[in-house]
Structure formats: structure tokens, C-alpha cells
């Protein structure tokens, strides 16, 4: 990268973008760079570095809202929240574990641009479900805001939520307001041992369909179990969080419900925390290998057949989160890293999407990193991009050619 | 009809009415097209009854293909379209246009699929909110968002308005509970956003579509997540001598890390009206009443109830009752749920507002509202989703008295401006529609509104879907698309670059 622009205010961000448009200099938009390795490699002459647009603007724990500048590190925000016993309930993933990237858990702007969500997604939603308002600079070099600072707000289009998962291709966010929530007082994990994938998904469906209020439901097949936290063999994991007496009562109820599936034990709060952090960060596929990793979102019961299809056709391993609905798959880089087969299988099992979260530059250039869209939807996406960023100045091509 | 101006009907379209009706009849046979003035009366307004307008023609398609062909025809022939669900909008979102086709989706009334293993229900948009819960409750499941009109309002309308309800404090709004939709664009193209899986593989079109008030497309199918009903639910009824005390209690409960399933507040006029109407057992001498509902395992509910009871006493509560049965819990809620009709009994007309404020601003906003009440000479009763700061002031007026409707609307506008001034917003769950359209500039500047309209341009570049709603000024998409580039040198060259 030949040149790096380092604005510190929203006005300076606007000036940078306006200049880039007039000078026809595409920008790669980055925070701390933790997720630079995701998406098609961006062809940009300059880097727009937002890490200087940082700081917590307002945090009122009793209002359950936090306003923060986009370049603020997630680490700083998490510290502030935990001092008040609160958290981002959507449990944002730390990509540096899987990608070996710098920048730790990245910035709050990156968190929204990637629409992060961890195991608690099934109960609490993703970043998209917690963002309340945004200030941003469009690819037109104009500052705009949307949403607000209150939880309940239907005034105008939900552009704050609409920018979630747009990977910096529509606008550069400069400030955002999030809903924050109290962290659970304690945590326990109920472990069911020895289940095959299908049975595990059935057990998780039973748990998630009970009134136990499960806040994490993952299954580690034998091949991946040892690499995440203190469990071995095929392990089906169900997390319970909340007030201590409630967690105890729900642990008992869940144990009774799941006894028919297999041998059960429980993990205490500390071991639970470590285990779910590893699942959140895809620790089983971290480390020395640089094998491509897919993140697949499907209906929970479609998780096992999709993974089986992949394993049947090429060397691959995987594990499940979100009750089976999130499948992490590691495979070799040969051919297209299984992209076409995987996407055919997803379509055949009710639909969903696969994202190549880890892969070499060459692979990410040749394989669609994000799920290809059918004609009318792809055209709509292109029109949306053109409305926000008509000259394609922001992260050009990151989501697909032209987007 | 009061002050909000709608786009001038196109004479040219009005002249083509017979041809348009004939074209629609070729797509939807028999009684699916209504062109008779008397029969069209049923569609002349929605829940915001102060505004009425007969549509050009009403069409009630039954298939996605028909919706697609209707929209494609209207697109090709530059005819405006106003989509309508059950017609319960409180902001005039479904107000017809004289030169627009009114597209009713109420024949799309089937539950298509219930999948307990994946905890989803897929329904057509005309299915009522309550019917979704009714379809799954025999297995102990329910659909969480519960707007007070849930008996009548449709899921398609809930998607259009991003509806809330008393339980959204803990369980989220429509946008947090919808997994996927099928939508027909103005061109007639059919697209799907989401499905039974979570999140989007590309842009989050679902986020843009939910709450778009019928301006982006017509929803033809909705997949929602269903939840297992909690094991128990109990409620506290808490009376305070001042709204300040009640507000402090709410802040303390939330600050202690408790998110109740519902937390509602009523002020004295609302308490008295409700009590006179349904005898719910509310303390008549309270200035503010809180209803707090907890749900979950019995042991958790008991634990939290005693915790909240203590906090309420510390904040000056003089009247505390805790439900010991489902009947008693229902009775606590009866007065709150009947608050609107109860107020309807004590006044010929009332006007329901819907701003949201930061919780801490409640005492200030209530005090200012009392001053405004005196200024306008109109009474106001307040019901309030206290947990999430969503206010529903009910302004009492008599439409038969000269100028009272206008005064009520002016009073309402002042309240909403006040909500924005203290850091809140114009509408928490009822939508902008026509009602709050002209107040949008109090919350958003020109560039904000233009960027929102550019989203509209990506979906409907001819502005044919529900024009006249949400945006005070309609800019042509060609105009919005122009770039105003400031030629320039690299900005702030003094800043170090690497």
C-alpha cells in the first residue's frame, strides 16, 4: 500500500472520501486490520485508516446504550462495558485467532461492517440486531446519519442495520450507537458425550425447543473436539447463563431432558467461558495450518447433511454452532476449495450461505468469497452499491467484482 | 382531513382509470378487483382515521404471480400502488391515493410451514400476528412481538412497520424476529431475503425491507422464528406518588442487570380511565403505576420479583401487588391493554402519539407535557413502555369542536419535537406514514433524508410504491443520483501518512 490516510474526525473522513472521488483514487477502508484477509483482495491505491477516529462518546449503563467512534478498538469497549457488568450480547468473534492477523479483535466499525455474531446469536442476535444508530460518510463524500440513540425507533429506513455486513463497500461509518445488555451473572455448560452429528442436532433442537433458555448450542465431532477447550470425543455443548439459582434449575431441567441422548456432565463457569470463547473464535481451525475455512449458515437441521456432502467429496473437517445452523468447515485449497460443491449442497438443503473466511489471496481472487446471489437480487445489490458509492471508491470488489 | 398534503393526483392516470381497471381484471378475475365507490369505502383509511381518501381501484390478488403481474403492469404504465395489510396502521401508512391502486394482501392468509426442529414458521403476509402464535401454541411455542393490535394486524404489516409490543424489551422488535421474506419489487421481479438460516451472505436487504413502510416492495411470504413459551410469568403492580419515583425505580431495575419481559408505566389520567373502565384494581391515588412482568423458570421469576419489590419500596412505592395466578396477572394487564378504549370513553376523540425518549428524560418530558397540555387546553393521558422509553401520550379532543383536531395535532407535533430534542425519536413503533412525514426534518437533515431516498431509488426508481409517505420532499432519482464532487487536493496534508 503506497499511502495511508489517517483522519481523526468525521469531517476529515468526508474530506478524504471527497478527495478520493475527485482524484479517482479507490480506498481500502481499514480499522486495525484484523479482518483485512477476508473478502476479495481490494485493488486500492490508498488506505483509509479509521483507527484515529476513536473514543467512547457516551456510555450510560442504566440506559443500556453506548455511542462510540468507529475506530475504537473492541478491546477498549469491552473493558468499559465489563466494568459496568455489561457486554455486547451478540458475542463478537475475534478473527485474529483464526486468521493469525494483527489488530486483535479489531474495531467497533469493523464489527458492524462484518456483522459479527458469536454463539449467542441464536438467542441474542448479531451485531445487526444491536446497532441503533450510525453516522457515516457515503461514497459520495457526504456525511449522513440514520437511526438514533434509543432502542425503539422506526423513524425512516433502518440504514444502520442495513450497513451491517456490507464490509465497508457502501459507506465509511464514523460513529455508532449500540444497545448493550447486562452480562449473565454465571454460566454453566451441559455436555452430552458421544453423539453423531445428526443425533447431536436433534439433542440441540430438543434443548433449544425447551424453556431452558439456552444461550449457546454447539457440537464438536471427534476430529475437532480436542482442539477447543476441555472436552474430548464427540461433545454436544449447551450453555446456560443468568442468575445463579435460575442457571442451577435450568441445568437440572436440561439434564433430565437430554439423558436419553447420552452420558452427561457439566462444566463450571470458568471452563465454560474458555470453551465458548474458543468456539466463538473458531479455535479448532486456528494454528499453523492455513487451510481454507468456510463459514456456512443454514437451517440447523441442514448442518449435518451439508458437512457430510463436503466430507464425502474431499478431505474436510467441521464443527457446528447455532444448534447446527452454523457450520465451520476446513478443507484443502485444491481446485476451488470446494466452493461449487458446497454451494450446491447448501441450495439442495433449503438454502443459506457460505463465506470463505480464510483463504490465500489467489483463492479469494478466483473463488466467490461471499454467496453468489440470483440475478434479480444481484442486480438489486449492484443498484444499492451504486446509490451509496456511485464511483466504486470504497473497498472496490471486496464482496464481488463491482461490489 | 387536516394539514398533510398528499402528492397531486395525476389527471392523466385518472383519465385512464377504465383501462387500468380492465387490465387488473385480466390479472385478477371476478371479485378480486373492486372499482365501486361504495365497496371501496372500506379501504378509504387505516387506523389513522383522521385521513381518508378513496383509491383509484382496489385489487386483492391471491398468488405471487398475480402480485408480480400487477406490479409489472403498474410499473410499465406509471401507476402508483399503495400496499395494504389489515389496515391497522396508526400513522396512515396504508392511506390510499386517488390516482393509486390499493393492493390488499389479505387473501394471502395461509400458514405455509411450521418447523419445530428449526423453530421457524413460514406464513403468508395476510396471516394475523396472533394467528402465528395460535398455530404453534399447542406445542408450547409462540411468536414474540405482540403489538396491541395483534388480533387484527397482519404479519406483512408488521414487517412493513417493524412492529413492537410490550414484550419487545426482552425479545426484540419484528426486525429481530423475522428470518426471511419473499418480496415482489415494483418491476414485478420476485426476490428472497434470508430464509430459515441466520444473517445474510450479502447486503442485509432484510434489514432495509423491515420497517420500510411499503415503499420498497410488496411482501408475499414471511419466515419468523418461534420461541418456546417461558415456564412461568408473573407480574408486579406498583403504585408511586410521583413519576420521578417510578422513573427512578425503572432505572434502578435496569441498572441492576434485570431485563423484565415487560415494563409499562401509566400516569394518573390513564390509571383513572382504565380503572373506571375495567376495574383492574389499580390504586386510584397513584400518580404513576408500573406493571412489571418477569418470565422464565419459576425460581428465577421468584428471585427477581423479590428483588424488584425491594427496589420499588426503596424508591417510594406505596402500593405493591404481586400476581399469584394467571388470572391475577391477566387482571393487572387488563387495564393497560384497555387503556386506549378506556380513554376513548372519557373523550369523544383521542390522538395517540408514539415518540421514544431516553429513559432518564421521563420526568422532564412529563413535566413539559403538562405545560403543553395547559397551553393547548387539551388533556393528555400517558401510557409508556417504560423499559425501552417508548411513550404513548393520548391527547384528548373533540373533532366536532372547531379547531380542536388541529390543536391536538399541533400539541402532538410539539411532543414529538420534544422527544427528538431530548435525544429520542419521532416514532418508536407506529411508523412515520403520512402522520409524522413533515416532522422528519426535525430529526434528519437534508443529506440524511436524501441518502434514505437513494435506498428507495435502488428498489423503486420511479417512486411508484406508496409515494407521499415517510419523506416530506420527494426528490427524483435522477437528481439524487448526481454527484457533486468537490475537486481537490489531498485533504489535511499536514497529517502524517505512512
Amino acid at each position: 500500500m503506497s499511502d495511508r490516510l489517517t483522519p481523526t474526525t468525521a469531517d476529515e473522513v468526508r474530506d478524504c472520501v471527497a478527495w478520493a472521488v475527485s482524484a479517482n483514487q479507490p480506498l481500502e477502508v481499514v480499522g486495525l486490520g484484523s479482518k483485512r484477509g477476508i473478502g476479495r483482495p481490494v485493488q486500492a491505491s490508498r488506505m483509509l485508516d479509521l483507527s484515529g477516529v476513536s473514543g467512547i462518546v457516551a456510555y450510560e449503563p442504566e440506559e443500556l446504550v453506548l455511542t462510540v467512534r468507529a475506530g475504537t478498538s473492541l478491546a477498549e469497549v469491552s473493558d468499559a462495558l465489563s466494568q459496568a457488568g455489561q457486554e455486547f450480547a451478540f458475542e463478537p468473534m475475534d478473527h485474529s485467532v483464526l486468521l493469525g492477523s494483527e489488530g486483535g479483535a479489531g474495531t467497533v466499525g469493523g464489527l458492524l461492517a462484518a456483522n459479527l455474531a458469536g454463539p449467542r446469536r441464536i438467542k441474542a442476535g448479531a451485531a445487526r440486531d444491536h446497532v441503533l444508530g450510525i453516522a457515516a460518510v457515503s461514497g459520495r463524500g457526504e456525511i449522513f446519519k440514520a437511526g438514533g440513540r434509543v432502542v425503539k425507533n422506526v423513524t425512516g429506513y433502518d440504514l444502520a442495520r442495513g450497513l451491517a455486513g456490507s464490509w465497508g463497500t457502501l459507506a465509511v461509518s464514523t460513529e455508532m450507537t449500540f444497545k448493550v445488555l447486562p452480562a449473565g451473572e454465571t454460566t454453566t455448560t451441559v455436555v452430552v458425550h458421544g453423539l453423531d452429528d445428526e443425533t447431536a442436532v436433534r439433542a440441540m433442537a430438543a434443548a433449544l425447543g425447551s424453556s431452558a433458555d439456552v444461550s449457546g448450542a454447539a457440537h464438536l465431532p471427534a476430529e475437532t473436539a480436542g482442539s477447543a477447550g476441555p472436552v474430548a470425543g464427540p461433545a454436544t455443548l449447551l450453555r446456560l447463563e443468568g442468575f445463579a439459582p435460575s442457571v442451577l434449575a435450568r441445568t437440572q431441567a436440561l439434564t433430565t431432558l437430554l439423558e436419553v441422548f447420552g452420558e452427561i456432565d457439566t462444566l463450571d463457569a470458568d471452563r465454560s467461558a474458555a470453551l465458548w470463547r474458543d468456539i466463538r473464535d473458531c479455535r479448532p481451525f486456528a494454528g499453523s495450518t492455513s487451510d481454507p475455512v468456510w463459514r456456512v449458515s443454514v437451517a440447523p437441521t441442514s448442518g449435518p447433511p451439508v458437512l457430510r456432502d463436503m466430507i464425502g467429496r474431499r478431505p474436510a473437517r467441521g464443527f457446528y454452532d447455532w444448534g447446527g445452523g452454523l457450520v465451520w468447515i476446513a478443507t484443502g485449497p485444491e481446485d476451488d476449495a470446494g466452493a461449487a460443491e458446497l454451494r450446491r449442497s447448501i441450495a439442495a438443503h433449503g438454502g443459506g450461505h457460505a463465506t470463505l473466511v480464510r483463504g490465500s489471496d489467489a483463492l479469494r481472487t478466483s473463488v466467490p468469497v461471499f454467496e453468489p446471489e440470483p440475478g434479480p437480487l444481484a442486480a438489486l445489490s449492484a443498484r444499492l452499491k451504486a446509490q451509496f458509492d456511485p464511483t466504486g471508491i470504497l473497498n472496490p470488489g471486496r464482496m464481488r467484482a463491482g461490489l | 382531513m387536516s394539514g398533510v398534503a398528499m402528492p397531486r393526483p395525476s389527471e392523466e392516470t385518472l383519465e385512464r382509470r377504465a383501462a387500468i381497471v380492465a387490465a387488473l381484471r385480466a390479472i385478477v378475475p371476478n371479485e378480486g378487483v373492486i372499482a365501486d365507490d361504495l365497496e371501496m369505502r372500506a379501504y378509504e383509511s387505516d387506523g389513522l382515521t383522521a385521513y381518508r381518501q378513496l383509491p383509484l381501484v382496489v385489487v386483492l390478488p391471491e398468488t405471487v404471480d398475480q402480485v408480480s403481474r400487477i406490479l409489472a403492469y403498474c410499473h410499465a404504465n406509471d401507476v402508483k400502488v399503495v400496499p395494504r395489510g389489515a389496515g391497522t396502521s396508526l400513522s396512515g401508512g396504508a392511506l390510499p391515493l386517488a390516482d393509486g391502486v390499493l393492493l390488499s394482501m389479505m387473501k394471502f392468509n395461509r400458514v405455509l410451514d411450521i418447523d419445530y426442529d428449526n423453530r421457524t414458521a413460514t406464513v403468508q403476509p395476510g396471516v394475523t400476528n396472533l394467528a402465528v402464535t395460535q398455530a404453534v401454541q399447542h406445542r408450547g411455542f409462540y411468536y414474540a412481538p405482540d403489538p396491541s393490535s395483534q388480533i387484527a394486524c397482519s404479519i406483512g404489516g408488521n414487517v412493513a412497520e417493524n412492529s413492537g409490543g410490550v414484550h419487545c424489551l426482552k425479545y426484540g422488535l419484528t426486525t429481530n424476529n423475522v428470518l426471511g421474506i419473499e418480496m415482489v419489487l415494483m418491476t414485478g421481479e420476485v426476490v428472497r431475503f434470508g430464509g430459515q438460516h441466520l444473517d445474510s451472505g450479502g447486503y442485509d436487504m432484510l434489514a432495509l425491507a423491515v420497517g420500510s413502510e411499503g415503499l420498497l416492495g410488496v411482501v408475499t411470504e414471511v419466515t419468523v422464528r418461534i420461541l418456546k413459551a417461558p415456564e412461568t410469568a408473573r407480574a408486579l403492580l406498583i403504585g408511586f406518588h410521583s413519576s420521578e419515583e417510578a422513573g427512578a425505580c425503572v432505572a434502578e431495575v435496569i441498572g441492576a442487570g434485570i431485563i423484565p419481559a415487560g415494563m409499562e408505566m401509566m400516569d394518573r389520567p390513564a390509571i383513572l380511565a382504565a380503572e373506571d373502565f375495567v376495574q383492574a384494581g389499580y390504586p386510584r391515588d397513584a400518580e404513576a403505576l408500573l406493571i412489571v412482568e418477569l418470565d422464565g423458570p419459576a425460581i428465577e421469576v421468584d428471585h427477581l420479583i423479590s428483588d424488584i419489590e425491594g427496589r420499588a419500596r426503596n424508591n417510594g412505592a406505596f402500593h405493591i401487588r404481586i400476581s399469584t395466578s394467571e388470572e391475577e396477572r391477566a387482571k393487572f394487564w387488563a387495564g393497560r391493554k384497555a387503556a386506549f378504549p378506556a380513554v376513548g370513553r372519557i373523550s369523544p376523540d383521542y390522538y395517540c402519539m408514539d415518540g421514544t425518549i431516553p429513559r432518564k428524560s421521563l420526568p422532564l418530558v412529563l413535566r413539559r407535557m403538562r405545560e403543553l397540555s395547559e397551553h393547548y387546553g387539551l388533556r393528555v393521558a400517558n401510557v409508556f413502555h417504560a423499559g425501552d422509553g417508548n411513550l404513548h401520550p393520548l391527547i384528548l379532543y373533540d373533532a366536532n369542536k372547531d379547531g380542536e383536531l388541529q390543536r391536538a395535532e399541533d400539541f402532538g407535533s410539539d411532543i414529538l419535537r420534544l422527544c427528538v430534542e431530548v435525544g429520542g425519536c419521532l416514532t418508536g413503533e407506529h411508523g412515520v406514514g403520512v402522520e409524522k412525514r413533515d416532522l422528519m426534518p426535525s430529526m434528519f437533515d437534508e443529506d440524511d433524508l436524501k441518502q434514505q431516498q437513494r435506498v428507495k431509488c435502488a428498489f423503486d426508481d420511479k417512486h411508484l410504491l406508496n409515494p407521499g409517505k415517510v419523506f416530506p420532499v420527494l426528490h427524483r432519482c435522477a437528481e439524487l443520483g448526481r454527484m457533486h464532487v468537490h475537486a481537490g487536493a489531498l485533504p489535511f496534508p499536514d497529517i502524517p501518512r505512512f
Side-chain angles (χ1 to χ4, degrees), chain B residues 475-486:
Chain B
H475 297 281
R476 295 183 52 230
C477 288
E479 176 201 334
L480 288 167
R482 271 182 221 127
M483 288 280 280
H484 303 279
V485 179
H486 315 281

Side-chain angles (χ1 to χ4, degrees), chain A residues 87-162:
Chain A
E87 64 185 359
F88 281 141
F90 51 94
E91 227 177 344
M93 172 180 183
D94 178 349
H95 277 89
S96 66
V97 174
L98 180 64
L99 303 180
S101 50
E102 293 181 355
T107 62
V108 176
L111 165 164
L112 185 68
N115 187 33
L116 297 188
R120 211 180 284 115
R121 174 69 181 88
I122 48 174
K123 178 182 178 212
R128 75 183 291 279
D129 294 289
H130 295 257
V131 66
L132 302 176
I134 196 165
V137 176
S138 71
R140 299 169 170 276
E142 288 171 3
I143 290 175
F144 68 93
K145 64 181 181 300
R149 289 180 181 168
V150 288
V151 177
K152 239 170 138 184
N153 181 358
V154 295
T155 321
Y157 294 144
D158 207 341
L159 297 191
R161 219 180 293 282

Side-chain angles (χ1 to χ4, degrees), chain A residues 139-313:
Chain A
R140 299 169 170 276
E142 288 171 3
I143 290 175
F144 68 93
K145 64 181 181 300
R149 289 180 181 168
V150 288
V151 177
K152 239 170 138 184
N153 181 358
V154 295
T155 321
Y157 294 144
D158 207 341
L159 297 191
R161 219 180 293 282
L163 290 179
S166 64
W167 293 91
T169 62
L170 296 177
V172 184
S173 59
T174 54
E175 186 176 303
M176 44 201 65
T177 297
F178 284 93
K179 172 168 84 170
V180 296
L181 285 170
E185 182 184 290
T186 189
T187 307
T188 293
T189 300
V190 173
V191 187
V192 189
H193 295 283
L195 306 187
D196 63 53
D197 295 8
E198 260 87 3
T199 311
V201 167
R202 280 211 309 282
M204 290 191 282
L208 290 165
S210 78
S211 46
D213 201 14
V214 170
S215 72
H219 175 69
L220 305 175
E223 315 82 76
T224 43
S227 50
V231 286
T236 309
L237 312 161
L238 297 148
R239 181 174 61 182
L240 300 170
E241 296 173 290
F243 299 99
S246 170
V247 169
L248 187 62
R250 286 181 285 138
T251 302
Q252 286 160 355
L254 205 53
T255 302
T256 306
L257 179 74
L258 298 177
E259 268 169 355
V260 293
F261 287 96
E263 188 196 329
I264 290 180
D265 66 62
T266 56
L267 301 178
D268 64 19
D270 288 345
R271 291 165 74 204
S272 286
L275 174 65
W276 288 101
R277 189 160 54 240
D278 286 352
I279 291 169
R280 181 194 74 186
D281 296 339
C282 195
R283 172 81 63 183
F285 299 154
S288 54
T289 169
S290 59
D291 276 352
V293 172
W294 292 97
R295 182 178 187 267
V296 177
S297 177
V298 289
T301 53
S302 299
V306 166
L307 178 57
R308 197 173 46 239
D309 274 0
M310 192 74 162
I311 291 174
R313 291 193 170 89

Side-chain angles (χ1 to χ4, degrees), chain A residues 3-4 6 19 60 62-63 121 128-129 145 152 154 157 169 209 246 297 300-301 353 383 387, chain B residues 118 176 198-199 203-204 228 300 356 359-360 385 390 427 429 448 452 454 458 482 489 495-497:
Chain A
D3 220 345
R4 182 187 285 254
T6 53
W19 167 80
E60 296 170 279
E62 65 288 350
E63 293 285 333
R121 174 69 181 88
R128 75 183 291 279
D129 294 289
K145 64 181 181 300
K152 239 170 138 184
V154 295
Y157 294 144
T169 62
S246 170
S297 177
T301 53
H353 50 90
R383 293 199 297 273
Q387 290 294 339
Chain B
N118 290 313
N176 310 113
L198 294 170
D199 298 331
Y203 293 146
D204 197 338
K228 185 74 168 188
E300 173 176 329
T356 303
R359 274 182 298 268
K360 65 178 176 196
H385 301 304
N390 188 194
T427 171
E429 56 184 358
D448 303 338
Q452 291 193 28
R454 289 191 184 105
R482 271 182 221 127
I495 287 179
R497 285 175 275 129

Side-chain angles (χ1 to χ4, degrees), chain A residues 303-345:
Chain A
V306 166
L307 178 57
R308 197 173 46 239
D309 274 0
M310 192 74 162
I311 291 174
R313 291 193 170 89
R314 51 189 294 125
R317 59 211 169 94
F319 68 96
Y320 308 89
D321 195 356
W322 300 356
L326 178 66
V327 194
W328 289 99
I329 302 174
T331 185
E334 305 75 27
D335 310 321
D336 63 351
E341 293 284 0
L342 178 59
R343 287 179 168 137
R344 260 197 294 281
S345 175

